[in-house]
Amino acid sequence: MRYAETGYNLEIDLSTGNIERVETDPRLTELHLGGLGTNAKILWDRVPPEVDPLSPDNLLIFSAGLLDGTPAIGANRTIITSFSPQTLLMGFSMMGGFFGPELKYAGYDKVIIRGKSPDLVYLWINNDKVEIRDASHLQGKGALETAEFIKEELNEPKVQIAAIGLAGENRVYFASIEHGRSSASRLGLGAVMGSKGLKAIAVRGTKDINIAKPDKFWEICQEVLKYIEYRLQNPIKGVPAILSMIGSPQEMMLHDEQWHTTSFSWGHARYRRKDFWNEEVAKNWAESQRNAIERLVSCYNCPVRCGAIIRHPSLPTHRYMMKCYSKLTYVMAAMTDDLAFGFKIAGLAQEYGLDGYTTPQVMAFATELYDNGILTDEEMPGFPSNNEERFFYLLEKIVRREGIGDVLANGVYWAARQIGKGAEKFDHNTTKKHEQMVIKLGMLNPLYFLMYATGEKGNITQIEGQIPQTPLPKGYREEFVKDWIQVPTGKEERFKRFILEWGDEGKSFPFWPPPDLVCELVDWQETMHYIDDATGICAGLSSFPIKPPYHIHNLSCLISAGTGLDIDEEGLWEIARRNRNLVRVINVRRGLRREDERPPEDHWKKRFPEYEEKLLDEYYKYRGWNREGIPTKETLEGLGLDYVAEDDMIKKEILKEGVSLGGTTVKATKKQ
Amino acid sequence: MAKEAMANKVLMIDYQKCTGCRLCELICSVKHEGVSNPSRSRIKIMKWESEGLYVPMSCQQCQDAPCVAVCPVKALTRDETLGRIVVDYDVCIGCRACVAVCPFGAMGFDHIDRKVIKCDLCDGDPQCVRFCEVGALEYVEAERVSVLKQRDAAQRFSSAQKTAAAIQAEM
C-alpha cells in the first residue's frame, strides 16, 4: 500500500486522445518526495532542452503535493510545472484552494499533459473515469465563468476546476491558470495550457488517502493547529503589521497599507512615495476595502482566512476571490490613489486569466514608453489620457493580442526588444526575462542579492522567509530569539546571534554578516520553500512567514508519519537539496549561466559589484556548484543524481570548471 | 458532563461564519473511517463559490425522524442519552430507504464500506466542532440555539436602528 500519495499518475496525450493511468516508482518518493521534486524529475527525463515551451512536445504537469489530501493542515497546493514561454526556463507556479487534494481523492498524484488538441477541450476526471470533452462553447469565456459553466454542465456540485481565460487561449506569456480560490499565475503556464488547446481540468474524487502512522500524524496536526491559534493571537513584535502574522500577508483583513505603499515603488517600479500614507488615505482605503470585501475565506483544510470574496457587479460571476498584495499591484502601477480601481481591474484581469504581478508592470511599461514618445498614437490609437483608463485599454489589447497588445503580451523583456527604439532601456525590473518585485531600496542586502540572483522561481516570495527583512528594534530582539524554535539544529547559536547583533554599530549591510553566514541564512530560507513545494503545504504556514507553525523539525516527523518513510531532519534537508539541484541542472541544460544571475540593476541604489561577485562565488561554492553556477560532478553524485552528471551537455559544462566561458555559451533561442 | 445535559445538546451551524475550508469533513472521515476522504464524512459543506456561500450540512437528529420511521428493520433508533439517531449495523440491511427519505441529505452512503452513514455526534464530543477555528459549528443545548440566534438578530436590529437614528439626525 502507498501512504500519503496515491502512487498513480494520469498521462494524457491531447494529440492522440490517449489516456493512461500509470503506477509510479515509490523510490522516487524517497528521493524527491513529490510535487515540484517529482515534476522536475519528469521534465529532466522527458523534455529535451531544445523543446519550445509552446510546442506540443512540452509537458504541462499538474501535481498535488505529497501531503495534499491528508489531514496535514494547509496541505492543499497544486504545483504546476512546465517550461515557461517567457523565461524559456523551467516554470513552476502554484495555487492553493481545493484542486490538489481533490486530484488525490480521485486517485492520482499528477496529471501529465502532452501534445496538443486540434480543438479546444476540457478534461473531466471523475475517479477512474477520465474524459476529454469538447470545450468549443467555452472559447473566449472567462476563467471563473468557465468553472461555473462546467460545474453546471457536469451537474456535480463538488467538482474542482482549474481553467484558463482569454489570455491563456491567446498565449499571453503571463497568462495564469485560475482555480476560483487561487491562481497559478507566474511564468505564463496559462499560455502553455492554451497552446495545448486545453481550456480546463475538472476533477472529482471520492477515494481514500492512507496514512502510515495515523495517530502520530494526527498528533502533529493538532500541535500545528494549536500553534496556528497561538500565532494568530500573538503577532511578531517589532516588524510591520503585514509581516507579523502567518498565512499569506493578511491584506484582506488588514487595512493598514503603509508598509507596501511607502516602501514599494509606484509606476513602472520607479517612484517611492514615502509620504503617501496619511489619515485621509487610510480612511478612504478602509472604506473602499469594506465596500469591496464581502467576507474572508480559507483554502482547503486551513483555518487561516487569507482570501476574500470581492464584489464585482460587472463580472459574469459578480464576484471573485483575492488575497495578499494583488489589491495594490494595479493601483500602484497605474499611479492612482484609488483603491477601488484595484479591486475593479484585478477582477477583470482574473477573469481573463492574467498574472496580477506581471500584468500591471507590463501596462506601466507601455505607459512609460508612450509618455517618452517611443510608442505613439500610431501604435496605440485612441490611448486615453487618464492612467486608470489607459490600464483598461491595455488590458483589452493584451488579452486579445490586438495591435500593440500582441507585443506587450510577451512581457516587458521581449516587448522591449521587439519595439526597439530605445525601449530596452526601460526594461529595468526583470531578471531572467521575468518581472520582479517592484521594490527599490538603498543599501545592498546581501541575502536578498543572492536570493534574487540565484532564485529560479518567479517570485522572491517563493524564496524568502523565516527572518525579519530589517533589523529588529533593540528592545524586541531578546524576546524574538527566546522561543525561536524554527531554527535548524546546529544553527541555533549562529542564527540567534545574528538577530541579536543585527543593526548594532558595525553590524549592518552590505559587508555584515560575513558571506558564510549569508549563505547559511539564504540556504535555510530557500530550502524551506523547496520542502513546501514538494509536500504541497502552503508557504503561508511554513516557509514564508516569520515563526511559522511548520518547520524543519516537525516537517520531518510529519512526512515520516504520513509516508512511512524514515526521514530525519538531515534527510529532509538532503531531499530539498536534491530537488534544488535538479531544478538548477534542468535550467543549466536550457542555457542558464552566471551572467543571468543578476537582480535588477536599480534594485538597490548602493551596489558593490566586486563584493557581489564574491558573494556569488561563495554561494556557488557553498552549494557545490562551479564558477558558472553549475552543480559539480561530486555534488550531483553525492545527491544520487549520477544520471544527470552523465548527461552530455552537463558533462561538457562541468569539465569547464574554473574556466571562464566568456560569451560562448549556447543560449536557448527564441522563435518570434 | 451530566447525561441529561448531553441529551439536550445539538450541533448548531452558523453558515455565515463558515469559510469553506472543509477541515470538518476531513476530521470526520479521519475520526470515523481512519482515512482521509471527505466523501466519507458525515458533515458536508455545500458551496456556491461564486456567491461566497458555504453551508455545512449534517444530521439534525430530528425528533420525529423520517429515517427512523421508514427503516423496515428498525435499525435506526433514538438514543435519548445523547439526543441522537443511531444506526445498529448488526440489524441494518443497507436498503438505503433512510438515504432516500432524509429531507436534508444528511443520511449518507459510504461507497467504500457499502453502508449508510450519519452523524453520531462523536459520542458527545463532536470533532468537527472541536476543530472549527472560526466557530461556524458549535455543540450547544437545544434551547440555547434560538436564544443565541435571537441575540444576533436583535443585534442587527439594534445597529440598523442606530444607523437610522444617525441618518435622521443628519437630516
Side-chain angles (χ1 to χ4, degrees):
Chain A
M1 193 192 284
R2 302 282 280 263
Y3 295 103
E5 59 183 352
T6 67
Y8 289 92
N9 289 340
L10 191 57
E11 296 266 0
I12 312 274
D13 188 330
L14 289 171
S15 299
T16 62
N18 191 50
I19 298 171
E20 272 177 81
R21 178 171 172 265
V22 181
E23 192 170 358
T24 58
D25 178 358
R27 171 89 186 119
L28 291 179
T29 312
E30 289 174 37
L31 289 171
H32 302 285
L33 295 181
L36 174 68
T38 36
N39 283 2
K41 170 78 173 123
I42 292 167
L43 285 187
W44 170 268
D45 287 345
R46 291 172 47 182
V47 186
E50 64 280 3
V51 167
D52 184 281
L54 298 180
S55 89
D57 295 332
N58 189 13
L59 296 182
L60 177 64
I61 309 172
F62 282 73
S63 179
L66 176 67
L67 298 179
D68 278 17
T70 72
I73 308 304
N76 55 43
R77 306 286 283 175
T78 307
I79 300 98
I80 308 177
T81 313
S82 187
F83 285 102
S84 160
Q86 187 188 37
T87 64
L88 306 177
L89 301 173
M90 185 168 161
F92 76 98
S93 197
M94 298 179 288
M95 59 189 191
F98 300 83
F99 190 91
E102 198 70 28
L103 187 63
K104 294 278 280 279
Y105 298 135
Y108 313 98
D109 298 315
K110 297 181 199 294
V111 188
I112 304 166
I113 296 149
R114 62 180 183 273
K116 174 185 183 340
S117 165
D119 305 302
L120 195 65
V121 292
Y122 77 91
L123 201 60
W124 169 216
I125 304 166
N126 186 7
N127 289 319
D128 296 337
K129 201 172 156 209
V130 182
E131 293 171 40
I132 298 170
R133 292 173 69 111
D134 174 49
S136 52
H137 57 305
L138 300 171
Q139 193 150 17
K141 291 261 185 293
L144 310 177
E145 197 186 1
T146 294
E148 290 304 312
F149 266 106
I150 292 177
K151 208 177 276 185
E152 197 73 15
E153 185 169 301
L154 299 173
N155 191 24
E156 178 51 76
K158 293 220 141 194
V159 67
Q160 299 299 336
I161 294 155
I164 54 169
L166 195 55
E169 284 183 44
N170 288 335
R171 305 179 194 189
V172 174
Y173 286 7
F174 39 96
S176 60
I177 299 169
E178 298 288 336
H179 163 53
R181 193 60 61 92
S182 195
S183 356
S185 47
R186 301 300 273 162
L187 298 163
L189 302 191
V192 176
M193 192 156 159
S195 77
K196 301 205 167 299
L198 184 63
K199 180 70 177 172
I201 303 179
V203 59
R204 170 67 178 143
T206 58
K207 298 186 187 182
D208 293 346
I209 295 294
N210 299 296
I211 303 295
K213 295 175 188 150
D215 293 344
K216 176 75 191 157
F217 194 87
W218 186 228
E219 186 190 312
I220 302 167
C221 292
Q222 282 174 278
E223 281 166 18
V224 167
L225 270 174
K226 229 183 274 171
Y227 193 83
I228 289 173
E229 206 177 318
Y230 167 79
R231 276 291 276 108
L232 289 174
Q233 285 156 10
N234 293 277
I236 305 287
K237 293 176 195 151
V239 299
I242 217 87
L243 300 177
S244 67
M245 314 275 272
I246 52 167
S248 175
Q250 294 297 305
E251 300 193 51
M252 298 296 106
M253 192 189 290
L254 297 171
H255 296 162
D256 181 353
E257 283 296 352
Q258 178 163 18
W259 186 69
H260 272 127
T261 55
T262 60
S263 313
F264 285 41
S265 298
W266 293 64
H268 181 222
R270 294 289 184 188
Y271 320 95
R272 263 179 87 176
R273 298 171 74 183
K274 290 185 185 175
D275 52 0
F276 172 74
W277 196 255
N278 57 39
E279 249 174 64
E280 199 195 328
V281 173
K283 195 172 145 259
N284 290 340
W285 279 32
E287 199 188 324
S288 294
Q289 189 155 331
R290 269 194 299 270
N291 286 339
I293 291 182
E294 212 155 74
R295 60 186 312 200
L296 300 177
V297 293
S298 309
C299 289
Y300 186 59
N301 196 18
C302 179
V304 188
R305 294 172 294 164
C306 306
I309 291 177
I310 313 290
R311 286 184 199 97
H312 199 303
S314 57
L315 289 183
T317 52
H318 301 293
R319 289 171 186 85
Y320 70 101
M321 268 173 254
M322 177 187 259
K323 63 178 186 294
C324 192
Y325 172 56
S326 39
K327 73 179 186 196
L328 296 182
T329 53
Y330 291 94
V331 171
M332 291 175 70
M335 294 283 284
T336 163
D337 295 357
D338 182 12
L339 185 62
F341 163 75
F343 286 117
K344 200 170 156 199
I345 194 164
L348 203 55
Q350 199 177 100
E351 189 69 286
Y352 283 138
L354 283 170
D355 175 13
Y357 252 98
T358 286
T359 311
Q361 287 197 58
V362 172
M363 301 199 294
F365 162 75
T367 305
E368 225 177 33
L369 293 187
Y370 182 87
D371 290 341
N372 284 277
I374 293 174
L375 289 176
T376 63
D377 287 331
E378 201 181 317
E379 293 95 357
M380 293 155 90
F383 194 51
S385 56
N386 165 300
N387 262 8
E388 294 184 15
E389 286 169 30
R390 284 174 163 189
F391 268 44
F392 284 113
Y393 172 102
L394 290 166
L395 183 67
E396 299 299 326
K397 298 277 179 217
I398 288 169
V399 295
R400 290 182 175 75
R401 278 193 173 273
E402 205 174 83
I404 192 67
D406 191 29
V407 176
L408 295 173
N410 296 339
V412 170
Y413 176 90
W414 296 109
R417 277 138 195 91
Q418 281 171 270
I419 293 165
K421 297 186 279 187
E424 296 92 330
K425 282 201 193 109
F426 291 81
D427 165 24
H428 75 116
N429 199 42
T430 61
T431 290
K432 294 168 189 164
K433 307 183 180 64
H434 188 64
E435 293 75 10
Q436 299 298 317
M437 189 72 97
V438 291
I439 193 161
K440 302 292 165 197
L441 300 163
M443 177 56 73
L444 175 85
N445 176 331
L447 289 94
Y448 274 78
F449 168 78
L450 283 180
M451 291 193 286
Y452 269 106
T454 65
E456 282 160 85
K457 306 185 181 184
N459 246 25
I460 189 73
T461 53
Q462 296 297 340
I463 306 169
E464 65 183 345
Q466 311 293 341
I467 57 175
Q469 298 188 3
T470 46
L472 287 175
K474 264 207 161 120
Y476 294 106
R477 296 178 196 167
E478 284 287 350
E479 193 188 334
F480 182 88
V481 300
K482 216 169 53 195
D483 58 356
W484 201 16
I485 52 167
Q486 289 79 2
V487 180
T489 305
K491 305 283 184 190
E492 298 89 345
E493 166 66 25
R494 279 168 75 72
F495 289 4
K496 285 181 183 176
R497 194 149 35 110
F498 165 72
I499 292 292
L500 292 172
E501 295 178 350
W502 185 19
D504 283 354
E505 180 83 36
K507 301 282 167 73
S508 61
F509 296 156
F511 300 116
W512 189 91
D516 57 338
L517 183 53
V518 171
C519 292
E520 287 171 43
L521 288 165
V522 167
D523 184 19
W524 180 33
Q525 297 185 62
E526 195 178 38
T527 297
M528 297 317 295
H529 280 282
Y530 270 85
I531 296 169
D532 290 344
D533 301 343
T535 60
I537 288 177
C538 176
L541 294 180
S542 186
S543 42
F544 181 69
I546 305 168
K547 295 192 178 177
Y550 286 108
H551 40 76
I552 189 82
H553 314 294
N554 63 6
L555 278 168
S556 50
C557 301
L558 188 73
I559 295 167
S560 299
T563 58
L565 299 170
D566 188 11
I567 298 171
D568 59 11
E569 194 177 319
E570 181 44 41
L572 186 53
W573 206 274
E574 186 176 313
I575 293 171
R577 205 153 40 213
R578 182 177 300 117
N579 291 348
R580 175 71 188 92
N581 276 277
L582 193 52
V583 169
R584 164 108 334 197
V585 289
I586 288 171
N587 283 336
V588 163
R589 202 163 65 160
R590 285 185 76 93
L592 178 77
R593 294 296 181 274
R594 183 184 182 117
E595 63 181 320
D596 302 305
E597 308 231 285
R598 352 190 133 265
E601 287 296 330
D602 57 355
H603 191 81
W604 297 279
K605 257 196 206 110
K606 293 183 187 151
R607 298 291 292 260
F608 302 82
E610 265 175 50
Y611 186 61
E612 289 171 18
E613 292 305 316
K614 182 178 156 63
L615 280 171
L616 260 189
D617 285 339
E618 291 281 334
Y619 188 66
Y620 284 173
K621 219 188 298 164
Y622 176 89
R623 280 249 172 246
W625 299 347
N626 72 12
R627 261 209 91 254
E628 277 300 316
I630 301 166
T632 63
K633 194 164 185 282
E634 294 70 36
T635 302
L636 293 170
E637 287 176 351
L639 293 166
L641 298 171
D642 308 54
Y643 61 93
V644 169
E646 287 310 307
D647 178 84
D648 283 347
M649 183 166 171
I650 298 296
K651 226 164 36 188
K652 205 170 101 202
E653 295 303 330
I654 289 171
L655 285 176
K656 286 185 180 171
E657 172 103 37
V659 180
S660 167
L661 293 176
T664 59
T665 51
V666 186
K667 303 286 286 186
T669 49
K670 180 87 195 161
K671 272 187 235 140
Q672 287 301 331
Chain B
M1 195 181 289
K3 277 194 174 164
E4 307 79 67
M6 298 273 271
N8 203 18
K9 281 181 116 179
V10 297
L11 202 62
M12 181 175 84
I13 292 170
D14 184 345
Y15 74 89
Q16 284 178 321
K17 284 187 185 159
C18 176
T19 62
C21 82
R22 297 169 58 202
L23 200 145
C24 53
E25 292 184 6
L26 198 47
I27 300 293
C28 183
S29 71
V30 170
K31 156 87 185 168
H32 290 94
E33 309 299 341
V35 291
S36 276
N37 187 348
S39 77
R40 300 174 77 183
S41 167
R42 278 74 177 147
I43 186 165
K44 297 271 168 66
I45 310 300
M46 295 320 293
K47 294 187 162 194
W48 285 262
E49 288 285 8
S50 63
E51 289 169 44
L53 182 62
Y54 314 124
V55 186
M57 296 294 288
S58 187
C59 176
Q60 307 295 307
Q61 320 291 352
C62 306
Q63 287 299 322
D64 188 5
C67 55
V68 173
V70 81
C71 182
V73 293
K74 306 259 176 289
L76 286 156
T77 50
R78 193 166 179 84
D79 164 16
E80 291 300 346
T81 55
L82 280 169
R84 60 178 180 173
I85 310 290
V86 287
V87 188
D88 184 343
Y89 287 109
D90 291 337
V91 177
C92 175
I93 56 172
C95 71
R96 302 190 294 278
C98 52
V99 178
V101 83
C102 175
F104 298 97
M107 185 64 79
F109 185 71
D110 184 325
H111 61 103
I112 291 173
D113 283 353
R114 315 286 305 166
K115 62 175 189 192
V116 296
I117 51 172
K118 70 173 295 299
C119 172
D120 60 0
L121 297 172
C122 295
D123 301 329
D125 180 17
Q127 297 299 296
C128 52
V129 172
R130 211 173 132 203
F131 291 102
C132 183
E133 293 272 330
V134 293
L137 302 169
E138 285 184 79
Y139 188 48
V140 297
E141 282 82 30
E143 65 268 24
R144 295 269 297 156
V145 175
S146 46
V147 171
L148 295 173
K149 289 206 151 193
Q150 279 159 354
R151 186 195 58 194
D152 289 350
Q155 233 159 22
R156 282 195 292 274
F157 270 127
S158 124
S159 64
Q161 267 177 357
K162 269 182 214 156
T163 314
I167 292 169
Q168 272 179 345
E170 274 171 28
M171 273 159 61

